[in-house]
């Protein structure tokens, strides 16, 4: 069993409801096992769901789709993706009501820009999930918004009736199989100055919406899209700690710093985020590639291979020897 | 913990004073005998019971008098509390953060009762007992940020995050080290740090900004900053510089122990959940040099730090005129002995 | 106190014709030349979707009005002062749609004040083009009395309102549209140096 040495705070939850939304999409309800309120989140936020799948620790980010402010439970929707890394298949096939999972605290990489005079939302397919939470929030604060939502068909579209019933004319649904298309150019040209645009959906759709808007003179500052950053994981590797006379293994979801700590070697750190420079470690020798992920070292230092920030950086290759 | 709140002033007759306990828990900022900028950021976790790091938001013996001084400043100059229109939600985030933390840390003084959106807040030291509707500005006597700031020690800035930058778009700033919210509001991280010398060239702000853009909810961080003031004056604002700047010419080696104060800011940074903004509390602690030297390690070390401080930094911190007198005073307490590592008294 | 090389100092660059559905120009004085320079590279028909608002100020009588009019913009307005022209800009922005491009050219004082109006209309500052032309004279806010002194050319400079002698710093507030002036002799009243021309 892989044990995570990740020290960031986590939330233990129990799955209390699983709903088949469409033939491909399931909705999961998570409630905290300790009964305490969950952290508040905002529209656009996601959590990283940790799944212990045998010896593999999977970590997948999913947008929170419940109403922001509801702290008794979180809801996510997961689309079955047989070609993915395996997380969605695990959620669909192995997770049942009563299953225990672990979540990260909410993170928002797709926040609402509150300066906007109006919010123009675009969603495609499963990309509807962050949009649901955003609209719930915008409606609560009385902000102007509209949603344009593209789906394959009435049956494949998630939450169509709920959206029509709740938001009426503020929602326009476009069904591929009916030949319906978002009238993008007309729509974009009609927006009042100060409108902000948000898009979440398949890559092709996002590119189409964003490039059309740019072509009509929309500034980059008014364009927002959801881009999930992959968790800082990678292939496992070995590190030789010369000063401690130890060889350690770094797991795929473990940082070099965590592995050093797990081996009982005291290593300095402050931020654990690649910025403060406290954990800077001298590289004695290496045969392979240092994967620098920090913001601290300069480009020249990254190229030089003399230093590494073990809190976020990784290694691929035959041998890495550190002065630690 | 029981504390008696001091009755004291931060202007006029300057009756501000530290008890022996307050001196012992003063957040001395220098872990070694020299000082230079660094991204000295660490997780803001509870540490050393009784110290200023025990609770997320420290409340000490100066609480009631500091809040009274803030009310005086806001009455004279309402521009010290400003919020651009899009920051209202962040103001509610801040109110929630403070009310939940203060009532957990100090249940003898603060109580928060939540019944859905109906909130009941009791602040015993200030005699406040209010009921209001969360997220409804019309149910509070001030906007949410100003309401809770009028019950809080230290300055708070609210930073909006967009376009890979942080924007100082709201704040209540009445105990500042010579910067103007009214002038700086709306600036981004690089712009409001514009007047700081040397640090830009060292890349300090670039690294700090990158780190803060990734700041996570539930994982606040902190750092210390410092400067010195003549007298325990909280409101060293540029607005009033023409009034307090003259004090600097009155400092002599004979009165430096009494007149000069080390001013330490305990700064923390928190991601706010509803607005995705960052709140930046800047909590100011003041100690006279004559109180500071009662801790021998601190007297020795401060002498060495100030003696070797680069001129640009001394100028930025407004020390050029007073430094010679301060050094002459402090040299009496520096026998050249080695000092131990870390900031706490031996 | 750091006076020069402060990062809040605005950065100006030559106006470039961008893609857009409406082009709003506001210029004063020699800022007209920035529009005329842009016109040499703009695509045919560009000014059919352009509105130009021009305040001649010190450049009056140099023929800029007729040269701008000759570009045949969809709307052309010559204003007597910046203050008189700003409400017109505010109304144009209130009626505008996404795809509108904003171009400001001329003195820093005009650019700063037009920026304030555009920001209030919900426009992000980074999407507004600004080109500085003509006088280097500064608009300065006295940090003490908050009064704004226009067309400051000396260092230090006397606040036109409270009379303090002010050190004019490169520290610039986009929201106020002005540089910061700080009392130069607060620590030793009466020791202010004589003003010398610094911003021509």
């Amino acid at each position: 069993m892989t044990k995570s040495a990740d020290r960031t705070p986590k939330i233990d939850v129990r799955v209390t409801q699983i709903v088949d939304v469409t033939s491909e999409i399931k909705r999961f309800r998570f409630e905290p096992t300790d009964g305490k309120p969950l952290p508040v989140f905002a529209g656009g936020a996601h959590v990283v769901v940790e799944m212990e799948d045998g010896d593999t620790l999977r970590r997948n980010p999913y947008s929170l789709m419940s109403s922001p402010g509801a702290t008794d439970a979180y809801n996510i929707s997961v689309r079955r993706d047989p070609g993915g890394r395996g997380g969605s298949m695990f959620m669909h096939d192995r997770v049942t009501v009563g299953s225990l999972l672990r979540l990260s605290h909410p993170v928002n990489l797709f926040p609402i820009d509150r300066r906007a005079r109006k919010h123009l939302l675009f969603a495609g397919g499963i990309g509807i999930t962050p949009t649901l939470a955003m609209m719930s929030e915008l409606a609560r604060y009385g902000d102007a918004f509209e949603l344009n939502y593209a789906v394959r068909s009435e049956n494949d579209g998630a939450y169509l009736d709920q959206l029509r019933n709740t938001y009426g004319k503020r929602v326009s649904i476009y069904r591929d199989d009916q030949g319906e298309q978002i009238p993008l150019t007309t729509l974009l040209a009609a927006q009042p100055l100060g409108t902000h645009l948000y898009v979440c959906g398949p890559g092709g759709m996002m590119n189409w919406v964003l490039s059309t808007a740019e072509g009509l003179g929309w500034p980059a500052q008014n364009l927002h899209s959801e881009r999930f950053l992959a968790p800082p994981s990678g292939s496992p590797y070995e590190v030789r700690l010369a000063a401690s006379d130890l060889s350690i293994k770094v797991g795929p979801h473990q940082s070099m710093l965590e592995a050093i700590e797990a081996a009982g070697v005291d290593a300095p750190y402050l931020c654990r985020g690649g910025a403060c420079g406290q954990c800077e470690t001298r590289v004695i020798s290496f045969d392979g590639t240092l994967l620098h992920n920090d913001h601290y070292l300069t480009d020249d230092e990254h190229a030089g291979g003399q230093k590494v920030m073990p809190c976020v950086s990784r290694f691929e290759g035959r041998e890495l020897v550190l002065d630690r | 913990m029981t504390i008696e709140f001091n009755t004291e002033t931060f202007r006029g007759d300057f009756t501000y004073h530290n008890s022996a306990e307050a001196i012992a828990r003063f957040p001395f900022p220098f872990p070694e005998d020299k000082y230079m900028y660094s991204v000295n950021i660490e997780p803001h976790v509870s540490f050393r019971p009784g110290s200023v790091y025990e609770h997320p938001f420290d409340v000490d013996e100066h609480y009631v008098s500091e809040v009274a001084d803030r009310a005086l400043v806001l009455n004279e100059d309402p521009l010290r509390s400003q919020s651009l229109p899009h920051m209202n939600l962040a103001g509610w985030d801040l109110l929630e953060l403070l009310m939940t933390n203060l009532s957990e840390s100090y249940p003898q003084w603060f109580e928060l009762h939540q019944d859905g959106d109906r909130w009941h807040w009791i602040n015993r030291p200030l005699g406040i007992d209010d009921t209001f509707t969360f997220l409804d500005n019309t149910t509070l006597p001030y906007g949410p940020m100003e309401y809770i700031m009028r019950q809080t020690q230290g300055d708070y800035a609210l930073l909006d995050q967009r376009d890979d930058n942080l924007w100082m778009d709201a704040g209540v700033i009445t105990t500042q080290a010579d910067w103007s919210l009214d002038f700086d509001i709306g600036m981004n991280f690089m712009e409001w740090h514009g007047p700081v010398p040397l640090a830009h060239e060292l890349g300090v702000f670039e690294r700090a900004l990158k780190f803060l853009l990734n700041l996570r909810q539930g994982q606040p961080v902190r750092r210390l900053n410092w400067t010195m003031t003549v007298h325990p004056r909280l409101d060293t604002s540029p607005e009033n510089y023409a009034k307090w700047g003259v004090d600097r010419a009155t400092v002599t080696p004979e009165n430096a122990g009494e007149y000069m104060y080390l001013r330490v800011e305990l700064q923390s940074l928190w991601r706010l959940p509803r607005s995705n903004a960052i709140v930046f509390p800047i909590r100011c602690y003041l100690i006279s040099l004559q109180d500071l030297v009662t801790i021998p390690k601190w007297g020795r070390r401060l002498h060495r730090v100030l003696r070797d401080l680069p001129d640009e930094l001394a100028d930025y911190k407004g020390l050029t005129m007073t430094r010679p007198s301060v050094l002459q005073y402090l040299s009496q307490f520096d026998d050249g002995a080695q000092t131990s590592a870390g900031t706490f008294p031996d | 106190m750091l006076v020069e090389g402060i990062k809040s100092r605005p950065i100006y660059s030559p106006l470039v014709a961008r893609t857009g559905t409406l082009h709003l120009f506001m210029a004063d004085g020699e800022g007209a030349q920035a529009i005329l320079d842009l016109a040499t590279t703009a695509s045919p028909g560009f000014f059919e979707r352009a509105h130009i608002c021009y305040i001649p100020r010190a450049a009056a009588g140099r023929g800029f009005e007729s040269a701008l009019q000759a570009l045949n913009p969809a709307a052309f307005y010559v204003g007597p002062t910046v203050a008189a022209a700003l409400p017109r800009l505010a109304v144009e922005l209130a009626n505008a749609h996404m795809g509108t491009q904003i171009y400001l050219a001329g003195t820093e004082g005009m650019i700063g004040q037009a920026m304030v109006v555009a920001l209030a209309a919900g426009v992000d500052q980074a999407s507004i083009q600004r080109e500085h032309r003509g006088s280097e004279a500064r608009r300065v806010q006295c940090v003490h009395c908050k009064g704004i002194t226009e067309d400051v050319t000396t260092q230090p400079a006397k606040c036109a309102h409270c009379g303090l002698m002010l050190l004019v710093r490169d520290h610039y507030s986009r929201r106020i549209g002005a540089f910061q002036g700080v009392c130069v002799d607060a620590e030793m009243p009466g020791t202010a140096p004589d003003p010398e021309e610094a911003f021509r």
Side-chain angles (χ1 to χ4, degrees):
Chain A
M1 175 81 58
T2 306
K3 282 289 172 214
S4 169
D6 180 355
R7 294 177 184 200
T8 59
K10 295 286 158 63
I11 306 162
D12 290 309
V13 294
R14 176 176 288 111
V15 178
T16 58
Q17 191 188 41
I18 301 176
V19 176
D20 290 317
V21 181
T22 69
S23 60
E24 290 185 348
I25 297 172
K26 283 185 177 182
R27 181 172 74 236
F28 298 82
R29 179 183 169 90
F30 300 140
E31 293 182 30
T33 53
D34 63 7
K36 289 185 185 161
L38 291 163
V40 171
F41 68 96
H46 72 266
V47 292
V48 176
V49 180
E50 289 187 4
M51 300 158 242
E52 285 190 4
D53 183 3
D55 281 348
T56 308
L57 180 68
R58 299 187 183 282
R59 284 188 171 136
N60 274 28
Y62 293 107
S63 294
L64 293 170
M65 50 171 289
S66 26
S67 182
T71 55
D72 55 334
Y74 288 157
N75 287 305
I76 64 165
S77 289
V78 180
R79 187 174 68 91
R80 208 184 161 82
D81 179 10
R85 292 189 302 155
S88 71
M89 299 305 282
F90 183 88
M91 289 297 293
H92 269 255
D93 299 341
R94 308 272 298 278
V95 172
T96 57
V97 168
S99 289
L100 297 176
L101 294 169
R102 183 167 279 187
L103 311 181
S104 72
H105 277 233
V107 173
N108 202 340
L109 304 178
F110 192 34
I112 290 170
D113 192 320
R114 305 211 154 273
R115 299 172 304 162
R117 297 298 189 266
K118 179 184 172 185
H119 306 270
L120 180 66
L121 309 168
F122 291 92
I126 192 66
I128 192 66
T129 53
T131 315
L132 289 170
M134 290 163 99
M135 284 195 291
S136 157
E137 187 175 331
L138 292 168
R140 173 170 186 177
Y141 301 137
D143 295 316
F145 70 90
E146 67 174 79
L147 167 70
N148 294 276
Y149 179 20
V151 298
R152 282 208 303 266
S153 67
E154 187 73 25
N155 281 341
D156 286 320
Y159 307 110
L160 298 186
D161 288 336
Q162 178 192 325
L163 286 164
R164 289 180 183 123
N165 294 337
T166 312
Y167 300 113
K169 284 186 172 169
R170 287 190 281 187
V171 172
S172 303
I173 291 165
Y174 303 90
R175 296 163 298 188
D176 260 1
D177 70 341
Q178 303 294 311
E180 296 166 348
Q181 269 214 342
I182 299 177
L184 189 58
T185 306
T186 324
L187 196 60
L188 292 175
Q191 299 305 318
L193 193 65
T195 300
H196 282 251
L197 180 157
Y198 308 80
V199 58
C200 185
M205 180 202 184
M206 302 222 311
N207 290 341
W208 174 57
V209 170
L210 295 173
S211 63
T212 307
E214 280 166 16
L216 290 170
W218 284 57
Q221 289 75 23
N222 294 55
L223 304 177
H224 310 272
S225 53
E226 172 77 286
R227 300 188 194 285
F228 273 130
L229 300 174
S233 50
S235 310
Y237 55 97
E238 280 192 27
V239 179
R240 177 82 191 148
L241 304 178
S244 312
D245 193 20
L246 277 175
S247 286
I248 61 166
K249 285 193 164 68
V250 183
H253 302 288
Q254 197 180 25
S255 76
M256 206 187 300
L257 176 62
E258 289 162 349
I260 293 170
E261 289 168 339
V265 175
D266 195 24
Y269 72 88
L270 279 179
C271 74
R272 303 182 83 91
C276 75
Q278 192 70 18
C279 70
E280 178 180 308
T281 305
R282 196 167 71 86
V283 174
I284 295 174
S285 65
F286 68 102
D287 176 6
T289 311
L290 285 165
L291 306 172
H292 293 289
N293 295 316
D294 64 280
H295 310 307
Y296 180 78
L297 299 175
T298 63
D299 290 348
D300 285 348
E301 286 171 323
H302 283 162
Q306 308 275 309
K307 297 169 179 174
V308 68
M309 310 304 292
C311 63
V312 289
S313 299
R314 303 189 66 85
F315 176 72
E316 274 176 4
R318 200 185 63 77
E319 188 185 56
L320 169 64
V321 185
L322 297 180
D323 181 18
R324 176 67 67 206
Chain B
M1 183 172 58
T2 56
I3 294 183
E4 273 198 33
F5 296 110
N6 298 349
T7 302
E8 59 194 0
T9 57
F10 302 86
R11 55 181 69 209
D13 56 359
F14 294 111
T15 60
Y16 171 88
H17 55 282
N18 281 303
S19 65
E21 294 74 34
I23 293 172
R25 74 196 292 278
F26 187 81
F28 188 74
F30 305 111
E32 51 187 4
D33 289 355
K34 61 181 181 348
Y35 172 76
M36 192 53 203
Y37 292 125
S38 61
V39 185
N40 54 338
I41 298 174
E42 61 180 334
H44 187 38
V45 292
S46 182
F47 175 50
R48 268 179 104 108
S51 79
V52 301
Y53 309 110
E54 179 177 4
H55 297 297
F57 300 94
D58 182 44
V59 175
D60 66 10
E61 65 187 29
H62 308 294
Y63 174 60
V64 173
S65 293
E66 272 192 51
V67 166
D69 193 70
R70 162 160 291 161
L72 289 176
V73 175
L74 290 177
N75 194 41
E76 281 173 6
D77 183 3
L79 297 178
R80 305 297 188 84
S81 167
Q82 293 193 54
S83 175
L84 298 183
H86 60 277
M87 298 302 281
N88 189 57
L89 186 63
W92 283 105
D93 266 329
L94 175 58
L95 176 144
E96 179 180 40
L97 180 73
L98 280 164
M99 287 187 175
T100 51
N101 275 289
L102 290 174
S103 56
E104 263 177 42
S105 298
Y106 306 100
Q108 70 276 35
W109 296 330
F110 306 102
E111 279 180 39
L112 176 65
H113 304 282
Q114 294 157 291
D115 176 14
D117 286 346
R118 201 76 187 144
W119 288 27
H120 179 199
W121 169 245
I122 299 169
N123 179 334
R124 290 206 179 80
L126 300 182
I128 290 169
D129 185 322
D130 283 338
T131 302
F132 59 93
T133 306
F134 189 68
L135 295 178
D136 181 352
N137 283 35
T138 63
T139 61
L140 286 175
Y142 305 97
M145 173 185 71
E146 183 164 338
Y147 174 76
I148 194 63
M149 285 296 94
R150 283 177 174 267
Q151 305 177 42
T152 307
Q153 288 172 279
D155 286 345
Y156 282 63
L158 289 169
L159 317 178
D160 195 23
Q161 180 163 338
R162 51 177 200 265
D163 211 10
D164 286 332
N165 216 322
L166 294 171
W167 304 79
M168 191 188 297
D169 285 346
V172 175
I173 307 294
T174 64
T175 68
Q176 69 273 53
D178 202 9
W179 63 278
S180 167
L181 173 74
D182 183 46
F183 196 81
D184 287 4
I185 191 169
M187 289 189 188
N188 68 37
F189 191 82
M190 293 301 168
E191 291 168 344
W192 88 69
H193 284 113
V196 183
L198 301 181
H200 287 278
E201 289 71 20
L202 293 172
V204 167
F205 294 125
E206 229 165 85
R207 286 203 298 274
L209 174 62
K210 281 180 180 169
F211 176 66
L212 292 176
L213 290 173
N214 290 318
L215 187 67
R216 298 294 177 88
Q217 195 178 329
Q219 295 172 257
V221 296
R222 68 174 167 237
R223 69 181 288 258
L224 294 177
N225 197 7
W226 68 279
T227 184
M228 298 184 80
T229 60
V230 188
H231 304 307
R233 189 189 291 275
L234 282 177
D235 178 23
T236 48
S237 62
E239 278 83 354
N240 287 332
Y241 175 49
K243 297 174 190 163
W244 55 262
V246 290
D247 292 347
R248 286 180 178 157
T250 66
V251 178
T252 65
E254 292 70 38
N255 66 24
E258 183 192 345
Y259 280 22
M260 288 301 292
Y261 281 71
L262 178 64
R263 182 196 152 97
V264 174
E265 293 174 352
L266 171 53
Q267 307 177 340
S268 55
L269 292 132
W270 305 69
R271 175 72 64 193
L272 296 174
R274 290 180 171 78
S275 57
N276 201 46
I278 287 178
V279 62
F280 179 37
I282 309 160
R283 172 65 195 284
C284 169
Y285 295 85
L286 292 163
I287 189 170
S288 66
L289 295 189
Q290 64 190 12
D291 282 349
L292 182 133
V293 299
T294 62
I295 311 286
K297 169 178 165 180
W298 293 355
R300 289 184 186 110
R301 180 164 292 168
L302 183 61
H303 176 247
R304 295 167 196 176
V305 166
L306 291 177
R307 185 189 59 203
D308 302 335
L309 192 69
D311 287 342
E312 296 98 319
L313 272 180
D315 178 62
Y316 170 65
K317 291 180 183 287
L319 304 178
T320 303
M321 184 180 273
T322 52
R323 182 155 68 160
S325 297
V326 167
L327 286 178
Q328 203 175 325
Y329 170 78
L330 285 174
S331 62
Q332 312 167 60
F333 305 96
D334 186 359
D335 53 9
Q338 266 215 311
T339 53
S340 61
T343 58
F344 292 98
D346 289 320
Chain C
M1 181 178 293
L2 206 59
V3 176
E4 291 178 6
I6 293 178
K7 300 234 182 258
S8 59
R9 175 107 172 70
I11 296 164
Y12 301 100
S13 38
L15 301 184
V16 177
R18 281 192 187 151
T19 309
T21 47
L22 173 67
H23 305 280
L24 288 182
F25 288 89
M26 186 160 171
D28 72 342
E30 290 164 42
Q33 190 60 52
I35 303 178
L36 296 171
D37 289 351
L38 173 144
T40 61
T41 57
S43 57
F46 178 85
F47 283 95
E48 289 165 18
R49 281 174 284 118
H51 294 183
I52 297 178
C53 169
Y54 180 57
I55 302 105
R57 298 189 64 178
R62 287 173 53 187
F64 283 130
E65 291 98 314
S66 53
L68 290 172
Q69 193 147 28
L71 298 173
N72 286 319
F76 182 61
Y77 162 81
V78 177
T81 61
V82 172
L86 290 174
R88 183 186 167 98
L89 176 65
V91 169
E92 288 223 62
L93 293 173
N95 295 329
H97 291 87
M98 289 305 291
T100 300
Q101 303 293 349
I102 302 170
Y103 306 80
L104 307 174
T107 63
E108 282 199 279
M110 183 283 293
I111 292 173
Q113 293 174 79
M115 283 285 287
V116 171
V117 171
L119 295 177
V123 180
D124 188 279
Q125 51 99 13
S127 63
I128 302 169
Q129 291 196 60
R130 288 156 280 173
E131 179 171 351
H132 181 208
R133 292 268 183 141
S135 166
E136 296 276 346
R138 291 184 172 190
R139 193 167 184 263
V140 175
Q141 190 204 37
C142 170
V143 76
H144 313 291
C145 80
K146 309 283 184 189
I148 286 179
T149 305
E150 301 279 355
D151 297 322
V152 168
T153 57
T154 64
Q155 184 75 286
K158 189 173 182 141
C159 173
H161 308 277
C162 69
L164 285 174
M165 288 303 283
L166 302 175
L167 180 69
V168 180
R169 310 177 77 192
D170 273 358
H171 203 29
Y172 182 87
S173 167
R174 194 165 35 241
R175 194 184 59 90
I176 298 168
F179 288 90
Q180 188 174 55
V182 180
C183 181
V184 73
D185 59 345
E187 297 181 12
M188 302 275 270
T191 61
D194 289 333
E196 287 182 18
E197 183 173 83
F199 320 112
R200 189 185 286 269

